[in-house]
Structure formats: structure tokens, C-alpha cells
Amino acid sequence: MRIPRAQDARRFPSREVTAMSDARFELYYWPGIPGRGEFVRLVLEEAGADWVDVGLQPGGGKAVSDMLGKGPVPAYAPPMLKVGDVVFSQAANICAYLGERFGLVPSDEASRLHARQFQLTVADVVAEAHDTHHPIAVMKYYDEQKDAAKQRAEDFRTQRIPKFLGYFERVLKANPQGGGKYLLGSDFSYPELALFQLVDGLRYAFPNAMRRIASEVPGVMALHQRIRERPRIAAYKQSPRAQPFNEKGIFRHYPELDDPNVTK
């Protein structure tokens, strides 16, 4: 396992670093979908961590189910990360922990807070993307709420995607050290992985709308391409461990929910 840098150890109480520093990372997430687990996978891959995707192992689905509700602080839902004896959840929370631990963010407190801010903002978009196909009730099938989904998706395509991606475009331009290329400082940081996965998901779910919006956010689209070309991310995405988008996950492609005004 890649050992945390010295400056990373200073970011955490010494007791926690000692307890977790030699542990293997176990990710618990449902097999068969990228979902929210993919945001964690990308950070683990970029960090070169020693980790296992438990859901993809034999009996993985049951192992994920069995982990839910365990421990003194039970998780509400996957993804969950097990580090030594500690199990904790929430994708943004896990990504922030890993990003800080492996030095994938500048070491000053303001940068760490802003990185979490970006990660949580991506999580907001992901929740809204999910609600385009389940706008009334999560436990109802998509076919039971198609009319409402069409209305919700139209607002998401025309208003919310441009607003969220436009925000990140402004962040890129406003970073004085990044030259329009980085969200924080003068180099890569872990929330850029989340933005990459968000754009990938939106392009899968709403390809027509994203072709229309792409020209409005050239910095975001260029960042997406740079992340795709990072060696560890490229190798992971080409491996069988990377699960493709499908109509069981968060980002689903239903043609009737996409922009009807842009042709292929």
C-alpha cells in the first residue's frame, strides 16, 4: 500500500493515523452498477491504494448487505469503507478522507474545506440526476412515474445542469494559480475526480443535452478529458473492474428524458 506522505499524517490526530496507516481498504458497494461507489473507487485508484471492491468478490452482494447496520455507528447505505476496525460511509465523506490521507489536496485548511465543498456540490448534482427518473418515490418503478420524470428531467437539463457545471467553470477561471485548469491551487486535487465522474454520468444519461451544454463550459470539458488521460484512471477505466453505466444505477439513459432538440 502507498504510505501517506509526512504532511498527510500531520492532518490527522496521531492516534487515528497509527490505527489506520497499515490497514487495507475495503470498499462495500452494490455490484453491477457504478453508482456512488464509483466516486470512491476513482480516488482509491488515483492514490494507488491497496484496496478491494468487496461487492465484486464471490458473495459480494451479501457481504455488502451484511455490513449494513453493523458496528457502533451503523451506516445508512453504501458506499462504506472499512479501514482497520473502522467502518464509515457517505461517498463525499470517504473521498475527503482518502484525498486528504493520500495528499490529493493542498495541505492548508482552506483548501481542504474547499475540496470538501466541491465534493459535496457534486453530490448535490448526483442526487438531482437520480430524481429525474424517480421524481415521486424512490420505491416506485420508473414506469410508474414517467410523466413526472419528463417534467423533472426537462428542468434538470435546461436549468440545473448548466447552473451546476457553470459554477465549476467559474471556479476554474477564478483560481489564480490554476490557469483555468485546476479547481484548487496549481495542481490536481481529488474533487476533480468527482467532477470527471459527474460529467461522464451526465453524458451517458443526457447525451443530447450535454452536447448542447458542452460549449458553455469548455474548461470543465477540458478537465474531464485530462482526468480521463491520467495513467491510473485510464488503466482502471479500461479494466474489467470498471462497471459500465446502466439503467439500474443513478445515471440512466432514457431517450424520452433527454433533450429532443439536439440530434446525434
Side-chain angles (χ1 to χ4, degrees), residues 36-241:
R36 290 177 174 84
E38 193 70 6
F39 294 93
V40 179
R41 295 183 186 105
L42 291 173
V43 182
L44 288 164
E45 287 292 324
E46 178 61 32
D50 177 15
W51 72 287
V52 60
D53 200 334
V54 175
L56 298 184
Q57 306 303 305
K62 184 177 186 302
V64 175
S65 297
D66 290 347
M67 181 60 74
L68 282 171
K70 283 190 174 181
V73 184
Y76 175 74
M80 299 167 284
L81 190 71
K82 186 174 187 292
V83 189
D85 295 329
V86 178
V87 179
F88 60 105
S89 65
Q90 290 287 356
N93 185 35
I94 298 170
C95 290
Y97 162 74
L98 292 170
E100 293 174 13
R101 173 165 180 161
F102 286 103
L104 303 180
V105 64
S107 60
D108 61 285
E109 184 176 23
S111 292
R112 287 180 288 162
L113 291 170
H114 290 144
R116 295 174 208 167
Q117 171 184 319
F118 299 148
Q119 191 78 31
L120 288 163
T121 301
V122 168
D124 290 341
V125 196
V126 171
E128 292 197 24
H130 169 273
D131 289 348
T132 60
H133 51 78
H134 277 75
I136 296 176
V138 173
M139 300 307 293
K140 290 182 178 292
Y141 290 108
Y142 166 66
D143 288 343
E144 299 178 79
Q145 46 196 317
K146 275 188 173 182
D147 290 341
K150 289 180 180 179
Q151 295 180 51
R152 185 65 175 265
E154 181 180 7
D155 179 73
F156 184 67
R157 294 191 322 264
T158 61
Q159 303 297 323
R160 304 300 286 165
I161 295 178
K163 186 172 183 177
F164 276 117
L165 295 187
Y167 163 72
F168 284 109
E169 186 77 11
R170 294 195 303 276
V171 169
L172 288 167
K173 292 178 180 178
N175 176 12
Q177 299 175 321
K181 294 183 178 181
Y182 304 108
L183 294 176
L184 288 170
S186 59
D187 203 352
F188 163 87
S189 59
Y190 73 86
E192 294 177 12
L193 296 166
L195 185 54
F196 161 80
Q197 181 64 13
L198 172 65
V199 171
D200 249 17
L202 293 175
R203 290 176 72 178
Y204 174 80
F206 306 100
N208 293 345
M210 283 299 290
R211 277 192 289 271
R212 171 175 52 82
I213 295 167
S215 62
E216 302 172 12
V217 289
V220 169
M221 301 310 294
L223 182 148
H224 173 267
Q225 185 60 33
R226 287 195 300 275
I227 297 300
R228 181 179 296 282
E229 294 171 355
R230 292 182 72 84
R232 286 175 174 167
I233 299 304
Y236 165 68
K237 284 296 187 179
Q238 293 168 8
S239 77
R241 295 179 293 111

